[in-house]
Amino acid sequence: MARAQLDKDPAAVAEMFDDVARRYDLTNDILSVGQDRFWRRATVKAIGAKPGERVLDLAAGTGTSTAALADRGVDAVACDFSIGMVAEGKRRRPDLPFIAGDATALPFADDTFDAVTISFGLRNVSPVLQGLREMLRVTRPGGRLVVCEFSTPPVGLIDQGYRLFLRTVLTPVSRTFSSNPEAYDYLEESILDWPDQDGVAALLHEAGWRSVGYRNLSAGIVALHRGTKPLA
């Protein structure tokens, strides 16, 4: 896949993630200088799931975020469109429920989950509005959505430095540690093509989510978006 346009081919993206499943978490930890752990903790806190609640973790990858929820007593389900990621997740945490599924056609009934979350995967959903509407469909009335995604730092100098990092550091490091460096070329391009915080908030609202808001993490490199499904 040469360019990460918003009309990207889901099958090609899934195949690309299949290739990097084994070393995906390690490479991300290195590239983010450990910040991914902070982002993951912030996401779990924002979900605010109580023991016994059902939470759908989309773009779950190898289940790192799902495990953090399950270990708190949450009934967490991991779902990813990459068969390779699902297989690696099952190998690491055979106690967790892993399901291969497309975010635009989720294999779950209406009003199934108390919350849905997706971390660093909404950029890969195509079309994104259809995915957000599917997330709304499977969430119970009054339930919530939490999206953790790369974003646009609001301070110009930080944004420029971040873009420079993506162009000059991400690719060389990924070629050292990743089994498929082209996947991280895609990562860079998909981040740069992605809407800013207000743009993503508008997408959530258009998809039917209400009480939409966001807060920045790491100076806006990442944003946590939230929404609630209307009661009626």
Side-chain angles (χ1 to χ4, degrees):
M1 175 169 286
R3 291 292 304 171
Q5 302 300 327
L6 295 182
D7 59 351
K8 60 188 81 67
D9 176 8
V13 177
E15 182 179 354
M16 184 175 58
F17 279 104
D18 289 345
D19 290 341
V20 300
R22 276 293 175 105
R23 305 189 71 182
Y24 183 72
D25 294 325
L26 171 63
T27 307
N28 286 349
D29 202 27
I30 293 168
L31 288 171
S32 70
V33 199
Q35 284 290 292
D36 59 320
R37 302 176 194 179
F38 162 66
W39 300 330
R40 193 179 306 121
R41 289 194 300 269
T43 301
V44 169
K45 184 176 180 180
I47 297 167
K50 299 175 182 177
E53 285 193 311
R54 291 205 78 193
V55 176
L56 175 61
D57 185 14
L58 284 175
T62 61
T64 305
S65 297
T66 319
L69 291 164
D71 291 345
R72 292 176 171 227
V74 177
D75 181 8
V77 177
C79 183
D80 200 288
F81 70 166
S82 164
I83 301 298
M85 287 288 189
V86 168
E88 178 65 14
K90 287 182 176 179
R91 185 186 71 82
R92 297 183 186 183
R93 285 292 299 257
D95 58 310
L96 296 179
F98 281 87
I99 295 175
D102 184 344
T104 63
L106 291 171
F108 306 104
D110 295 357
D111 306 334
T112 298
F113 297 96
D114 297 292
V116 175
T117 184
I118 180 168
S119 295
F120 306 109
L122 192 59
R123 302 184 327 280
N124 301 323
V125 175
S126 181
V128 65
L129 270 175
Q130 183 175 335
L132 288 170
R133 287 170 179 148
E134 273 290 275
M135 296 174 208
L136 187 76
R137 179 184 67 78
V138 303
T139 303
R140 66 166 178 79
R144 63 265 187 211
L145 171 70
V146 175
V147 177
C148 183
E149 188 54 88
F150 290 113
S151 201
T152 304
V155 178
L157 283 176
I158 295 176
D159 185 36
Q160 292 173 24
Y162 179 47
R163 289 172 181 269
L164 182 64
F165 166 82
L166 290 175
R167 292 191 172 106
T168 62
V169 176
L170 184 69
T171 298
V173 172
S174 67
R175 292 191 182 281
T176 301
F177 293 99
S178 173
S179 57
N180 183 354
E182 289 184 0
Y184 288 87
D185 293 343
Y186 165 85
L187 174 64
E188 172 197 337
E189 294 166 355
S190 66
I191 292 171
L192 294 175
D193 283 341
W194 187 242
D196 65 9
Q197 291 88 324
D198 290 332
V200 174
L203 287 171
L204 265 67
H205 197 273
E206 184 177 352
W209 294 94
R210 295 298 177 260
S211 301
V212 172
Y214 68 84
R215 71 182 180 94
N216 289 327
L217 303 176
S218 301
I221 290 173
V222 165
L224 273 180
H225 295 264
R226 299 189 65 176
T228 302
K229 180 172 179 174
L231 291 173

